[in-house]
């Protein structure tokens, strides 16, 4: 298969203005907020001289534009500054926590996709039947329940009452992963199921499916090969966007289950007014989202030959 | 239905695996390790940069100071075997214990003390706690980088240190007991060369493993000069949310739970838990401050009227489960200087109204109180708003972000504001000088912009007074006089309660967290 390099290159180039815009917005918003980061570091009882020295050291005595210039210069060498609380480099702190988030996000998206696609396909195949009605109601429930509530209920039932699972993470491991994955994947699975149902129903009515059935293929082969494959584009869009948002740290789920990922770290940074960390997370988040969108767009090319041709011939 | 059958066969083992993983869940109940928790990852273990209560709790396990507070808040020698104070109250001499070992195996000497104090005071360190030692002669020159040595800090020999102050300052020993003054090793600041997390100290526990965002594990220091701890380890889990903390406690994941307004009654009213609750004063004062420089708030009668118009007893019961004591001064119970017999403003709306009428303010009197958007405190202030309506005071509530609120109060903008003050060090001076001395307006702590020459003179007198009983008498006098002038609506001193696991023995709840070294903790193991 040919790789649409021009498409990839063009989209990668577009990444820079997006990141520049995001960095500017994040910088301005966090800098116009009240509160003096230098004062946070030296403490309220520090002398004026100490405070001024710290302000100079942090470059806070310069104009906002100059400060942004310095910030951008540092950003080019991947220096996101230091945390005000732990004083460690922000990029290192975020990267350290990223594996835990990637694990949770990947596990959740796998569970959500498997469950969602499976239930959605079942609903489409048995359209109007009891299975369809039952699963459609279940997905409606899944979409309607807020994530924090689902998390708390799972803790109450499985951790506190039955004591099957631990309520909060002590180390990154399977036993601690299950409840957060269930919490995070429930809503996603419901969305995916609904999208799959609609998308599969559209494909089921197409001529090629009838032909496949007429050829005497088993229902499983027809469903997997001729229906699902063709119904994947809307599904992959939802899966991609959900995965990107999980990778940015599922703030609520990670906090409720004490999961040591970037989401909980960002939450604590917000509460502790650790501005460089929040700023860094906004930029990392934008990067993850834009990259994920690119991957989703590329996957369209793999799934649909017409789109692939468009990419290869520069029609995008 | 072929597809459905296949799916069921696929899903059954999936759920069995999930259940299997869950049942193997670990429990701390069978280990001789005390499991405590922190609400966030400690920013640092370095005493120079510690700012919050949690960091102080941790540092108390790793380090020792020259002196420390015991559980009755008396100052006792710690790394110092003893100390003497010169007659003029300016020179302090400390003699160190012999053969005290750091966790790295190095022996403590006066060079470590000098290194620690110089590090804390230096311009390069830029510690937010440098002020703790600002009474030492030569601090200003050294801290501003103009001098390389501190005139008032000398090592007399390998085990003796002499500290000279700018002027007599009686709370100085209390300041030396603060975590910022914990002694570090000059030879080996960190236990490991590649990690700045494993810091070296002399305390009963040494840092073993720090899994950021998850837990901080301590092993016992077998060579601790005051004897080995009873438990074999101390673990701080990082549990950032009240619900997470509670569920961890209920499932045996921690041995202690700090009770809050929202869950206190639930545990207190349950016989299964009530006997395991420990409560102690928490050295704080909650208040609504006035800007005493703004008209008409510069008139004490108006401020007194507010004190009479608010039924604090009812509020404490309704919103704080009676977990505290009504304030009749700024000094909290538990500190020498607290006067149990002091006269308080009792709820008397008629008297409040009379004072307002005497002053000639036009009623209804419109005012506003600024506060953080914290729901617990908002409920209280809304109740106060209702109570004030009875004396025709129309109180507007202005909710504002903490950073903005602090800036506004320090600039003297709000006429009234809801705040609390917590002890930096357990000396009543810390509840008087920062809060009411006119030199400390704004950031310094005197946010009421209170100015009274007599009070200023009395505070300065108390700081110079070396005789304990005389100093306490002056503290009481200051507290009483300020209270009469009512720069605040004095609300209450909150106490703090913890719930312990039944296996915990020897835990003492203390007003300041860094008193607890964890030496006497025992765990009943099944």
């Amino acid at each position: 298969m040919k790789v649409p390099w021009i498409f990839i290159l063009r989209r990668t180039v577009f990444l820079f203005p997006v990141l520049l815009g995001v960095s500017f917005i994040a910088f301005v918003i966090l800098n116009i907020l009240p509160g003096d980061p230098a004062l946070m570091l030296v403490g309220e009882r520090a002398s004026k001289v100490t405070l001024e020295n710290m302000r100079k050291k942090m470059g806070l005595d310069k104009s906002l534009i100059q400060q942004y210039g310095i910030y951008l210069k540092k950003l080019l060498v991947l220096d996101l500054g230091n945390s005000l609380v732990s004083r460690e480099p922000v990029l290192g702190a975020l990267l350290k926590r990223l594996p835990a988030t990637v694990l949770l996000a990947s596990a959740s998206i796998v569970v959500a996709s498997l469950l969602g696609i499976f239930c959605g396909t079942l609903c489409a195949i048995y359209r109007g039947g009891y299975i369809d009605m039952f699963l459609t109601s279940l997905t409606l429930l899944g979409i309607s329940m807020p994530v924090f509530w689902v998390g708390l209920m799972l803790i109450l039932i499985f951790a506190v009452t039955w004591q099957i699972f631990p309520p909060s993470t002590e180390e990154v491991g399977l036993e601690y992963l299950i409840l957060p994955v269930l919490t995070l994947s429930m809503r996603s699975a419901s969305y995916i199921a609904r999208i799959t149902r609609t998308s599969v129903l559209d494909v089921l009515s197409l001529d090629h499916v009838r032909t496949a059935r007429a050829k005497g293929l088993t229902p499983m082969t027809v469903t997997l090969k001729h229906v699902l494959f063709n119904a994947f584009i809307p599904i992959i869009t939802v899966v991609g966007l959900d995965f990107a948002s999980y990778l940015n740290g599922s703030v609520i789920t990670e906090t409720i289950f004490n999961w040591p990922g970037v989401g909980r770290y960002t939450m604590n940074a917000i509460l502790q007014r650790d501005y460089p960390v929040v700023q860094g997370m906004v930029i990392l988040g934008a990067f993850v989202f834009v990259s994920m969108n690119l991957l989703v767009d590329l996957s369209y090319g793999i799934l649909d030959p017409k789109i692939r041709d468009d990419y290869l011939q520069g029609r995008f | 239905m072929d597809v459905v059958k296949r799916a069921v066969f696929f899903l059954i083992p999936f759920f069995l695996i999930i259940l299997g993983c869950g049942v193997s869940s670990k429990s701390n109940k069978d280990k001789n390790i005390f499991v405590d928790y922190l609400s966030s990852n400690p920013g640092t273990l370095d005493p120079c940069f510690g700012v919050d209560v949690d960091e102080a709790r941790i540092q108390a396990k790793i380090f020792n100071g020259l002196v420390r507070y015991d559980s009755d808040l008396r100052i006792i020698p710690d790394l110092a075997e003893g100390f003497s104070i010169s007659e003029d109250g300016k020179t302090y001499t400390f003699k160190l214990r012999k053969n005290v070992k750091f966790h790295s195996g190095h022996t403590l000497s006066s060079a470590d003390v000098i290194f620690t104090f110089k590090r804390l005071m230096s311009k390069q360190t830029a510690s937010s706690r440098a002020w703790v030692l600002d009474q030492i002669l030569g601090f200003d020159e050294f801290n501003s980088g103009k001098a390389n040595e501190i005139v008032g800090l000398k090592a007399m020999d390998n085990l003796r240190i002499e500290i000279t102050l700018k002027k007599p300052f009686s709370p100085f020993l209390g300041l030396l007991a603060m975590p910022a003054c914990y002694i570090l090793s000059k030879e080996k600041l960190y236990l490991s060369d590649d990690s700045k997390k494993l810091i070296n100290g002399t305390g009963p526990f040494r840092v073993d493993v720090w899994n950021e965002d998850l837990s901080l594990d301590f092993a016992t220091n077998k060579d601790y000069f005051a004897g080995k701890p009873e438990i074999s380890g101390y673990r701080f889990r990082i549990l950032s949310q009240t619900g997470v903390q509670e569920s961890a406690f209920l499932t045996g994941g921690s041995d202690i739970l700090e009770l809050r307004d929202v869950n206190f009654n639930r545990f207190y009213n349950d016989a299964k838990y009530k006997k395991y609750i420990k409560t102690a004063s928490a050295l704080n004062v909650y208040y609504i401050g006035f800007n005493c420089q703004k008209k008409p708030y510069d008139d004490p009668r108006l401020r007194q009227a507010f004190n009479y118009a608010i039924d604090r007893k009812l509020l404490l019961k309704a919103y704080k489960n009676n977990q505290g004591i009504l304030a009749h001064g700024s000094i909290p119970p538990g500190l020498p200087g607290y006067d149990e017999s002091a006269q308080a403003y009792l709820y008397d709306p008629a008297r409040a109204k009379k004072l307002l009428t005497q002053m000639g303010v036009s009623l209804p009197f419109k005012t506003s109180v600024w506060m953080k958007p914290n729901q617990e405190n908002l409920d209280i202030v809304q109740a106060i708003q209702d109570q004030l309506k009875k004396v025709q005071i129309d109180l507007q509530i202005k909710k504002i972000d903490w950073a903005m609120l602090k800036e506004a109060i320090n600039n003297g903008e709000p006429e009234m504001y809801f705040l609390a003050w917590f002890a930096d060090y357990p000396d009543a001076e810390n509840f008087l000088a920062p809060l009411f001395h006119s030199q400390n307006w704004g950031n310094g702590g005197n946010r009421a912009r209170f100015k009274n020459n007599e009070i200023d003179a009395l505070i300065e007198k108390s700081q110079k007074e070396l005789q304990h009983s005389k100093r306490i008498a002056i503290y009481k006098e200051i507290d009483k006089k300020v209270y009469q002038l009512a720069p605040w609506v004095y609300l209450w001193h909150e106490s703090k309660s913890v719930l312990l696991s039944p296996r915990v023995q020897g835990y003492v709840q203390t007003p300041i967290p860094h008193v607890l070294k964890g030496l006497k903790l025992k765990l009943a193991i099944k």
Side-chain angles (χ1 to χ4, degrees):
Chain A
M1 190 189 288
K2 279 185 185 171
V3 181
W5 289 115
I6 299 173
F7 173 74
I8 296 175
L9 191 73
R10 193 170 146 172
R11 289 291 297 266
T12 314
V13 170
F14 274 132
L15 194 71
F16 290 100
V18 172
L19 287 180
L20 193 72
V22 169
S23 73
F24 182 73
I25 294 168
F27 181 85
V28 169
I29 289 180
L30 290 172
N31 275 277
I32 55 169
L33 282 178
D36 184 349
L39 187 65
M40 268 184 75
L41 276 179
V42 296
E44 295 209 331
R45 298 178 71 145
S47 66
K48 276 189 180 154
V49 183
T50 315
L51 180 64
E52 279 315 306
N53 283 340
M54 184 51 82
R55 289 182 62 83
K56 264 188 202 157
K57 201 172 154 187
M58 295 174 75
L60 295 172
D61 54 336
K62 297 191 169 68
S63 73
L64 206 61
I65 298 293
Q66 278 174 311
Q67 285 183 48
Y68 180 61
I70 296 168
Y71 182 72
L72 273 188
K73 221 163 128 184
K74 284 184 173 175
L75 203 61
L76 283 178
V77 289
L78 295 179
D79 179 359
L80 295 174
N82 286 358
S83 153
L84 295 182
V85 176
S86 66
R87 293 168 192 243
E88 63 182 331
V90 171
L91 186 69
L94 288 174
L95 291 180
K96 211 160 44 183
R97 288 159 176 94
L98 203 57
T101 295
V102 171
L103 178 66
L104 177 63
S106 315
S108 303
I109 209 69
V110 168
V111 171
S113 308
L114 286 178
L115 276 179
I117 294 172
F118 177 69
C119 293
T121 314
L122 272 188
C123 289
I125 293 172
Y126 299 104
R127 185 188 182 184
Y130 288 119
I131 292 181
D132 183 24
M133 274 155 59
F134 174 70
L135 288 177
T136 309
S137 319
L138 211 63
T139 53
L140 187 67
L141 196 71
I143 290 170
S144 319
M145 286 188 297
V147 173
F148 77 91
W149 187 82
V150 173
L152 292 178
M153 285 303 116
L154 289 179
I155 289 178
L156 185 68
I157 297 165
F158 291 102
V160 177
T161 312
W162 292 345
Q163 305 213 350
I164 301 173
F165 298 109
S168 48
T169 315
E170 277 192 72
E171 59 192 40
V172 177
L174 190 60
E175 60 183 293
Y176 300 103
L177 188 64
I178 290 160
L179 291 187
V181 164
L182 283 181
T183 307
L184 209 52
S185 55
M186 208 169 276
R187 202 178 165 89
S188 228
S190 305
Y191 265 120
I192 295 171
R194 292 175 83 86
I195 297 280
T196 307
R197 182 181 180 276
T198 318
S199 188
V200 167
L201 277 177
D202 286 346
V203 180
L204 276 175
S205 60
L206 296 178
D207 291 344
H208 77 273
V209 179
R210 200 173 343 124
T211 313
R213 280 187 188 139
K215 278 199 301 187
L217 294 178
T218 61
M220 184 66 102
T221 315
V222 174
T223 311
L224 291 180
K225 206 170 163 188
H226 297 282
V227 178
L228 262 185
F229 195 76
N230 286 296
F232 253 136
I233 285 192
I235 300 171
I236 213 105
T237 311
V238 174
V239 170
L241 287 180
D242 273 358
F243 189 50
S245 85
Y246 294 168
L247 281 179
N248 274 327
S250 318
V251 174
I252 295 172
T253 311
E254 287 189 6
T255 306
I256 290 177
F257 290 99
N258 222 38
W259 188 258
V262 286
R264 183 169 151 233
Y265 183 59
T266 311
M267 178 80 174
N268 281 337
I270 294 169
L271 293 176
Q272 294 173 322
R273 303 177 171 281
D274 197 345
Y275 296 139
V277 174
V278 180
Q279 226 163 27
M281 193 54 218
V282 171
I283 290 166
L284 183 73
F287 177 76
V288 168
F289 247 103
V290 177
S291 314
M292 193 48 75
N293 266 327
L294 175 63
L295 287 179
V296 168
D297 286 352
L298 284 175
S299 71
Y300 292 166
I302 296 169
L303 292 168
D304 190 335
K306 277 189 279 178
I307 299 179
R308 195 185 318 147
D309 279 351
D310 286 349
Y311 286 171
L312 288 169
Q313 286 160 27
R315 291 196 297 266
F316 41 82
Chain B
M1 293 304 261
D2 192 38
V3 183
V4 179
K5 276 183 201 160
R6 279 171 196 237
V8 171
F9 278 116
F10 164 73
L11 288 175
I12 285 177
F14 177 70
F15 283 113
L16 282 179
I17 292 170
I18 288 183
L19 281 176
C21 295
V23 175
S24 69
S25 161
K26 286 176 196 162
S27 167
N28 295 299
K29 283 175 191 164
D30 54 346
K31 292 179 191 159
N32 192 19
I33 296 171
F34 183 80
V35 186
D36 199 336
Y37 65 85
L38 308 164
S39 52
S40 65
N41 221 16
T44 174
L45 301 185
D46 190 334
C48 260
F49 301 110
V51 283
D52 65 26
V53 172
D54 276 348
E55 283 161 354
R57 277 198 307 145
I58 301 168
Q59 287 157 2
K61 312 282 182 294
I62 314 173
F63 304 99
N64 297 91
L66 289 177
V67 288
R68 71 178 184 96
Y69 281 96
D70 67 7
S71 52
D72 296 320
L73 300 186
R74 284 175 306 216
I75 292 177
I76 55 169
D78 198 7
L79 287 177
E81 199 173 62
F83 54 84
S84 61
I85 306 169
S86 66
E87 266 184 30
D88 65 359
K90 291 208 293 196
T91 308
Y92 289 66
T93 312
F94 296 90
K95 183 158 192 291
L96 297 177
R97 286 174 201 271
K98 277 183 197 157
N99 290 326
V100 173
K101 299 276 183 205
F102 280 98
H103 301 148
S104 59
H106 292 82
T107 310
L108 171 83
S109 74
S110 46
D112 296 308
V113 180
I114 303 288
F115 163 74
T116 303
F117 289 176
K118 275 177 92 171
R119 184 170 179 262
L120 180 63
M121 290 188 268
S122 93
K123 184 186 168 188
Q124 282 75 28
T125 310
S127 164
S128 61
R129 294 274 159 169
W131 64 267
V132 171
L133 296 179
D134 66 0
Q135 294 298 322
I136 296 181
L137 188 65
F139 170 88
D140 301 314
E141 295 79 1
F142 184 72
N143 185 243
S144 57
K146 286 180 196 151
N148 292 326
E149 293 300 323
I150 305 146
V151 186
L153 183 65
K154 267 186 227 152
M156 309 298 284
D157 58 40
N158 205 25
L159 290 174
R160 278 193 311 143
I161 303 109
E162 189 182 272
I163 299 174
T164 312
L165 306 185
K166 296 171 191 166
K167 55 178 195 245
F169 187 68
S170 55
F172 184 65
L173 277 179
L175 290 169
L176 284 185
M178 283 179 71
C181 296
Y182 284 156
I183 306 302
L184 304 164
S185 167
K186 187 186 174 190
E187 293 291 322
K188 205 166 168 57
L189 190 54
Y190 301 101
L191 287 171
S192 147
D193 290 333
D194 20 289
S195 172
K196 287 201 166 183
K197 291 199 295 191
L198 307 181
I199 198 160
N200 191 11
T202 52
F205 295 92
R206 70 176 165 76
V207 192
D208 192 12
V209 185
W210 183 2
N211 279 323
E212 273 181 75
D213 296 345
L214 287 173
S215 60
L216 174 61
D217 289 302
F218 289 145
T220 50
N221 173 10
K222 292 184 181 104
D223 301 322
Y224 188 53
F225 65 84
K228 197 184 137 203
E230 300 267 355
I231 50 176
S232 59
Y234 199 111
R235 163 173 262 213
F236 284 103
R237 290 186 63 192
I238 317 294
L239 304 171
S240 45
Q241 202 221 11
T242 319
V244 175
Q245 294 156 4
E246 195 174 317
S247 60
F249 178 83
L250 291 173
T251 52
S254 75
D255 288 312
I256 188 166
L257 175 68
E258 189 185 323
L259 297 180
R260 316 230 172 185
D261 296 341
V262 285
N263 61 4
F264 179 84
N265 270 343
R266 190 150 34 90
F267 288 107
Y268 188 78
N269 294 330
D270 189 334
K272 195 172 134 196
Y273 295 111
K274 190 178 175 181
K275 57 185 167 186
Y276 301 114
I277 294 177
K278 302 246 178 196
T279 304
S281 153
L283 303 193
N284 57 44
V285 57
Y286 282 75
Y287 64 94
I288 296 176
F290 296 98
N291 180 345
C292 298
Q293 299 302 312
K294 251 188 188 175
K295 283 194 183 301
Y297 305 90
D298 57 343
D299 188 332
R301 287 176 300 174
L302 178 74
R303 307 190 303 242
Q304 285 160 354
F306 274 88
N307 274 285
Y308 283 119
I310 295 171
D311 189 352
R312 302 171 302 149
K313 205 172 167 183
L314 183 74
L315 298 174
L316 188 66
K317 190 180 169 197
Y319 296 100
K320 293 282 163 189
N321 309 302
N322 272 334
Q323 285 296 291
I325 286 179
L326 293 182
H328 45 251
S330 59
I331 302 173
L335 280 186
Y338 173 72
D339 191 353
E340 225 168 294
S341 59
Q343 282 277 315
Y345 294 108
L346 298 174
Y347 178 53
D348 190 348
R351 192 159 174 187
K353 209 157 178 192
K354 200 173 153 194
L355 279 167
L356 292 174
T357 325
Q358 264 179 17
M359 271 183 71
V361 289
S362 58
L363 296 175
F365 178 70
K366 286 195 174 168
T367 184
S368 65
V369 62
W370 296 30
M371 64 180 299
K372 277 195 284 182
N374 162 312
Q375 192 55 47
E376 280 178 17
N377 292 339
L378 186 63
D379 290 343
I380 295 170
V381 176
Q382 279 171 341
I384 290 176
Q385 189 181 36
D386 266 1
Q387 291 180 353
L388 289 176
K389 269 184 198 153
K390 288 181 193 156
V391 292
Q392 287 187 283
I393 294 175
D394 180 8
L395 182 74
Q396 297 295 312
I397 300 170
K398 196 166 174 181
K399 287 169 280 177
I400 180 167
D401 175 79
W402 176 224
M404 270 165 95
L405 176 66
K406 212 156 50 169
E407 211 168 293
I409 298 174
N410 290 344
N411 294 334
E413 284 174 53
E415 46 248 355
M416 288 168 73
Y417 46 88
F418 184 96
L419 275 186
W421 178 262
F422 286 74
D424 291 309
Y425 46 94
D427 189 312
E429 188 263 355
N430 192 225
F431 281 83
L432 299 173
L435 296 172
F436 304 116
H437 195 291
S438 60
Q439 271 181 356
N440 294 325
W441 276 17
N443 251 351
N446 185 352
R447 296 187 159 110
R449 304 187 158 240
F450 179 78
K451 183 171 168 52
N452 183 297
N453 293 339
E454 188 193 356
I455 297 297
D456 281 357
L458 277 170
I459 289 173
E460 283 156 28
K461 190 178 162 194
S462 76
Q463 288 174 335
K464 287 178 197 154
E465 180 56 65
L466 292 174
Q467 208 180 325
H468 186 256
S469 57
K470 279 189 188 166
R471 200 167 78 231
I472 300 303
I474 306 173
Y475 287 160
K476 284 184 180 173
E477 188 186 346
I478 301 169
D479 203 16
K480 192 175 164 189
K481 285 190 167 159
V482 176
Y483 186 71
Q484 282 162 357
L485 293 168
W488 305 341
V489 173
Y490 288 78
L491 294 173
W492 46 71
H493 309 285
E494 274 186 32
S495 49
K496 194 170 156 185
S497 296
V498 294
L499 173 61
L500 295 169
S501 145
R503 74 178 192 137
V504 178
Q505 294 160 10
Y507 181 92
V508 184
Q509 175 70 354
T510 54
I512 45 168
H514 54 276
V515 163
L516 292 174
K517 290 271 173 208
L519 265 184
K520 289 177 185 163
L521 271 178
K522 272 189 201 169
L523 298 170
I525 304 165
K526 284 173 193 166

